Amino acid sequence: MSNSMANSERSNPGIRRLLGEVALINRSIADYKPHLPLTVLAFGPQSLTPALQRRLKAEGFDVKVIESISHLLVHKDNNGCALLVHLDHMNDKQRHRMQQLAAEEGQLPVIAISSDTSLQERLVAIRMGAVAFNTTPVNDAQVVADIKALTERYQRDPYQILIIEDQTSVAGFYAATLEDAGFQATVISQPLIELMPYLHNHTPDLILLDLYMPAINGQELAGVIRQQENLISVPIVFLSNEMSPEVQMKAMCTGGDVFLSKPVRPADLLFAVESRVRRGRAVRNLVTCDPLTSVLNRREVLRRLNEEVARCQRYGSRLCIAVLDLDRFKQINDRFGHSSGDRVIKHFAISLVNGLRDGDIVGRLGGEEFLVLMPETRTAIANTAMQRVAEEIRQSPPESQLAYTFSGGLVQCLPGNRGDDLLEQADALMYRAKSEGRDRIVCSGDHDSA
């Protein structure tokens, strides 16, 4: 396919309309406005408890309660990202109307709540456009996690698609189709040269892989990709003119998830990518994220530490790491209970994520101890960021009775350092901060003044 053909298809109103329909079918935001907050709509006050509303606002969402279907239609395009629906409090007419809207592609992603766990009730939710079903009593943390899974692509973590295709015009068409639908696409046309450097620095959400290329085929590349521990769950979509079922099956046995025959229609491409990326992210989050705080778990953040240290040593880039620990956390648990302790830990994680840059990495080492990785950062800048987070926590605790502070050790990666070395140094400085009175960050010497 030529570039001119790709450009003409992008400008074709039929293709543009098709892309819009696919976005709605997949229940995503049709017209995202980055200068406005994402809005969660709740159908009736029964769908939104005060505690859940506080959690959503703490995560940065705008929250609106609507009382009728007409109000839903008014608000759904204002960065509406999800609709909370408590099925116990809906009459048959309301249920039917919402199913009609979903069938007409006019519905937001629905987070359904019900005391009825039967298949019939779950089908009602699905026909309304539900992407999650929560039973009563409602787990507020799970509802927030469901909504964040829908919205992360618009804020901190857009969907990243890697296209491995030696025909640059075809790859350009795929990339343009995906980017029109809100994905970020990277094209590799010479995998023998470009693939491993890319994988050392990126973890894509999905890989589009041509089956036949010069010097190496897609089946071999899939085998290489599956050798990477962090890519085991990344979906691989094979693209080819190959029509033989035997060849397709053999290719799938090396780690592919689906086989699309060329020429690939935009709708088929977007459906294959969107659905698999969402499931892939869900699996990745289960494996890599701490269930209480949604930041990286211990195993994953330590893997990322070693990855960032290796990059720092290879390219001479800067890296700061901080080990942080809540002060007198046991007293909070003893006095107010473990549920309040969990609230404090989650508040701390949210404060770190919101207060640092998008490229910084936050993980929970265990208990009330966290690790922060800050690539391309000087010690002084990292310390300023930590002090800013500390001040924000002092000013805005989760509740007045749950006011807390934290102590930390901050170190800079130097030539020859390993991940274990840095972790040990930062941990020692954190304990020094505790011994010096708590509520402070102790830094190693500023070695990057040059």
Side-chain angles (χ1 to χ4, degrees), residues 199-203 230 300-315 319 361 373 419:
L199 294 180
H200 279 138
N201 295 291
H202 304 87
T203 301
N230 61 312
E300 180 65 12
V301 76
L302 291 180
R303 187 191 71 78
R304 294 292 298 273
L305 168 64
N306 290 326
E307 189 177 81
E308 292 298 329
V309 170
R311 181 179 297 116
C312 179
Q313 303 294 2
R314 185 181 303 117
Y315 301 112
L319 173 67
I361 300 163
L373 314 179

Side-chain angles (χ1 to χ4, degrees), residues 241-352:
N241 292 317
E242 179 60 64
M243 301 302 293
S244 165
E246 291 79 9
V247 174
Q248 291 188 11
M249 184 62 66
K250 186 177 180 181
M252 297 287 284
C253 288
T254 61
D257 293 272
V258 69
F259 201 104
L260 295 181
S261 297
K262 294 180 178 178
V264 181
R265 297 189 311 132
D268 295 336
L269 179 65
L270 292 174
F271 274 122
V273 168
E274 176 93 12
S275 61
R276 285 167 178 80
V277 165
R278 286 188 178 180
R279 286 202 301 273
R281 280 220 173 170
V283 172
R284 185 188 73 182
N285 288 341
L286 285 173
V287 173
T288 64
C289 291
D290 173 60
L292 177 65
T293 63
S294 298
V295 300
L296 298 182
N297 60 24
R298 179 184 179 87
R299 182 176 182 274
E300 180 65 12
V301 76
L302 291 180
R303 187 191 71 78
R304 294 292 298 273
L305 168 64
N306 290 326
E307 189 177 81
E308 292 298 329
V309 170
R311 181 179 297 116
C312 179
Q313 303 294 2
R314 185 181 303 117
Y315 301 112
S317 53
R318 301 180 189 278
L319 173 67
C320 281
I321 83 160
V323 171
L324 311 173
D325 189 85
L326 299 184
D327 295 326
R328 299 186 174 90
F329 180 72
K330 186 176 183 299
Q331 294 181 10
I332 294 175
N333 273 339
D334 291 345
R335 184 176 178 186
F336 300 107
H338 288 280
S339 61
S340 293
D342 286 350
R343 285 192 61 199
V344 169
I345 288 175
K346 286 185 279 189
H347 182 269
F348 184 45
I350 292 169
S351 299
L352 286 171

